[in-house]
Amino acid sequence: MGFQFETVPLIVNENGAAGRLSELIKTRFSCKRVAIITDAGVVETGLVKSVVSALTKGGFNPIVFDGVEPDPSEQIVLEAASFAKANDADCIVGLGGGSSMDTAKMVAVLCCSLQPLHALYGIGKVEGKRLQLIQVPTTAGTGSEVTPIAILTREDHSKMGIVSPQLYADVAVLDPELTTKLPAEVTAATGIDAMVHAIEAYTSLHQKNPISDALAREALRQLWTHIRAAYMDGGDIPARSGMLLGAMMAGQAFANSPVAAVHALAYPIGGQFHVPHGLSNALILPHVLRFNLPEAKHHYAELAEVILPNISGSVDEKAAGFIRALENLCFELGIPDHLAQVGIEANDLPKLAKAAMDQTRLLVNNPRRVSYDDALSIYREAL
Ligand SMILES: NC(=O)c1ccc[n+]([C@@H]2O[C@H](COP(=O)([O-])OP(=O)(O)OC[C@H]3O[C@@H](n4cnc5c(N)ncnc54)[C@H](O)[C@@H]3O)[C@@H](O)[C@H]2O)c1
Ligand SMILES: [Fe+2]
């Protein structure tokens, strides 16, 4: 089967790399005005201050937009873009989790574009160029630093994706030191998000390909190996580095072999109940995997061998073992396992199921077709 594989042109993986951004910018681009796009939580860690001071020492005079909020709204994206435009920014640095990096992508696009934001949703709708874009993740989860995707929350609380090649960054910088202050519960939830990216890329219906497969397997191995240590001791640099690498590789995998029903059913939970993205995924994960078993058990059995090298038995036993291992991991990491624990009630489920059915971009990738009734019964099991 023919396939295409695309990723960012340069990935820098080095402890302390964020302190050397100015060298990186000077050797790759001819920029004058750097705009950092970030959020208040990242500012609080002191990370923004140290990146600003390193850039200033390097001869830049960076400006900072720190108004990003989790699950960024269109409003925030437009504000950030106006700020960058008004200050003549010519290089955008996304410094933060997926929310800041997704906002940075759209700022880089909107500063050069006459298209209205609402016209950009879907696949391949962005026209023309963008500003130079460097992504510096401070969570190990979304892989947004290497994906051509930005997820925005619209006024009706739906979470929708903008997917276009222009959204691939010029440079992704993986610096484990930036993630050492990440709270344990964010480490856990974002780490599970990255694992879901690897799993869904591996079972994606139409664009599964050998490069994404290899990346998904290695991503899962790295994440499985390091997540407990990173959760227990935020300052464990080798574990933090493994998590960043795993999340990035999972991002490369699903950028080319897209995610599916776990994400489709998780987005309405995030959009309507403001549950963090990784947690929404974790709540729904085992139930979607069980639903998918008739079509995907061979793939799940293969992934079981990646995380549990000594597993034996039939394909059915290995696939079941894989799902159980993920459930046990979530339990070890203290992640809630019922929708009721995040304030969702039985009478909310039809609305969630209806919203999930609108995620057609994702549902088409699921190994098993999901109807409205299926979505509803998956939510019921997760309740
Ligand atoms: N573009 C993509 O390919 C893609 C993929 C998956 C998810 N997403 C989107 O990304 C968003 C979620 O991103 P996320 O899970 O990385 O979380 P996030 O960016 O929303 O950040 C979560 C919280 O963690 C804090 N934080 C971030 N880094 C920190 C650090 N180093 N130390 C302390 N606190 C820190 C932030 O301030 C914030 O309060 C959602 O909107 C989701 O839909 C995008
Ligand atoms: Fe995700």
Side-chain angles (χ1 to χ4, degrees):
M1 270 281 260
F3 69 93
Q4 291 193 168
F5 187 91
E6 192 170 5
T7 193
V8 302
L10 178 66
I11 295 161
V12 178
N13 177 64
E14 193 182 339
N15 210 16
R20 291 188 284 283
L21 268 188
S22 49
E23 287 162 44
L24 203 61
I25 294 173
K26 283 178 201 159
T27 52
R28 303 289 288 196
F29 320 121
S30 56
C31 300
K32 292 195 174 62
R33 195 76 161 140
V34 177
I36 297 174
I37 308 296
T38 188
D39 70 34
V42 180
V43 171
E44 244 172 64
T45 61
L47 293 174
V48 178
K49 202 171 161 201
S50 50
V51 170
V52 166
S53 94
L55 279 169
T56 308
K57 267 188 211 140
F60 292 96
N61 184 15
I63 51 165
V64 178
F65 178 87
D66 62 7
V68 176
E69 285 168 1
D71 305 311
S73 63
E74 293 183 332
Q75 179 65 26
I76 294 283
V77 165
L78 293 172
E79 270 174 37
S82 308
F83 173 82
K85 247 189 214 169
N87 285 284
D88 293 324
D90 55 4
C91 176
I92 305 298
V93 175
L95 177 63
S99 299
S100 293
M101 290 192 285
D102 286 4
T103 305
K105 289 177 186 182
M106 296 321 300
V107 170
V109 166
L110 292 170
C111 280
C112 300
S113 173
L114 294 176
Q115 291 176 284
L117 183 53
H118 67 79
L120 306 181
Y121 290 99
I123 300 176
K125 300 284 169 56
V126 176
E127 293 164 5
K129 294 193 172 161
R130 56 152 171 76
L131 296 184
Q132 244 108 36
L133 177 62
I134 301 178
Q135 297 284 31
V136 189
T138 64
T139 62
T142 68
S144 177
E145 66 276 14
V146 290
T147 74
I149 306 165
I151 309 289
L152 306 188
T153 304
R154 301 198 295 187
E155 260 180 31
D156 64 358
H157 304 294
S158 62
K159 291 191 73 169
M160 283 295 170
I162 297 171
V163 187
S164 276
Q166 290 91 333
L167 272 56
Y168 279 114
D170 296 300
V171 185
V173 175
L174 307 185
D175 179 350
E177 270 176 21
L178 303 184
T179 61
T180 56
K181 290 186 183 147
L182 202 57
E185 75 272 14
V186 184
T187 301
T190 49
I192 296 294
D193 180 32
M195 291 172 110
V196 175
H197 295 156
I199 296 166
E200 294 210 285
Y202 200 75
T203 58
S204 201
L205 193 58
H206 302 295
Q207 293 175 65
K208 181 174 164 67
N209 67 79
I211 302 179
S212 285
D213 282 353
L215 287 161
R217 293 166 66 99
E218 179 58 13
L220 204 55
R221 197 183 68 76
Q222 291 280 348
L223 295 162
W224 180 264
T225 304
H226 293 292
I227 195 166
R228 290 175 195 77
Y231 175 78
M232 299 296 287
D233 173 10
D236 183 334
I237 291 286
R240 289 297 192 183
S241 181
M243 292 301 292
L244 269 179
L245 264 181
M248 185 274 291
M249 286 189 277
Q252 290 181 314
F254 89 86
N256 295 278
S257 179
V259 293
V262 179
H263 274 75
L265 271 72
Y267 278 147
I269 299 173
Q272 293 178 31
F273 292 88
H274 303 292
V275 174
H277 176 69
L279 174 54
S280 318
N281 272 306
L283 286 163
I284 222 73
L285 173 67
H287 308 285
V288 171
L289 297 195
R290 285 206 181 89
F291 171 81
N292 284 346
L293 273 175
E295 302 297 338
K297 60 185 173 188
H298 285 92
H299 294 323
Y300 296 154
E302 287 165 14
L303 294 179
E305 290 167 4
V306 172
I307 60 169
L308 308 165
N310 298 323
I311 195 168
S312 59
S314 64
V315 164
D316 288 87
E317 284 164 344
K318 286 181 185 172
F322 179 63
I323 300 172
R324 252 195 328 274
L326 292 169
E327 283 178 312
N328 291 340
L329 175 66
C330 289
F331 178 76
E332 275 179 63
L333 300 175
I335 297 176
D337 56 0
H338 290 288
L339 294 177
Q341 289 167 273
V342 296
I344 297 174
E345 295 173 359
N347 56 12
D348 297 317
L349 303 185
K351 200 169 153 209
L352 287 175
K354 192 169 169 294
M357 297 316 290
D358 291 337
Q359 297 288 339
T360 48
R361 175 178 75 82
L362 304 175
L363 289 172
V364 292
N365 306 313
N366 202 57
R368 184 174 171 194
R369 193 180 158 269
V370 183
S371 67
Y372 169 84
D373 288 341
D374 295 330
L376 192 57
S377 68
I378 292 169
Y379 282 126
R380 283 201 182 116
E381 274 162 34
L383 191 64

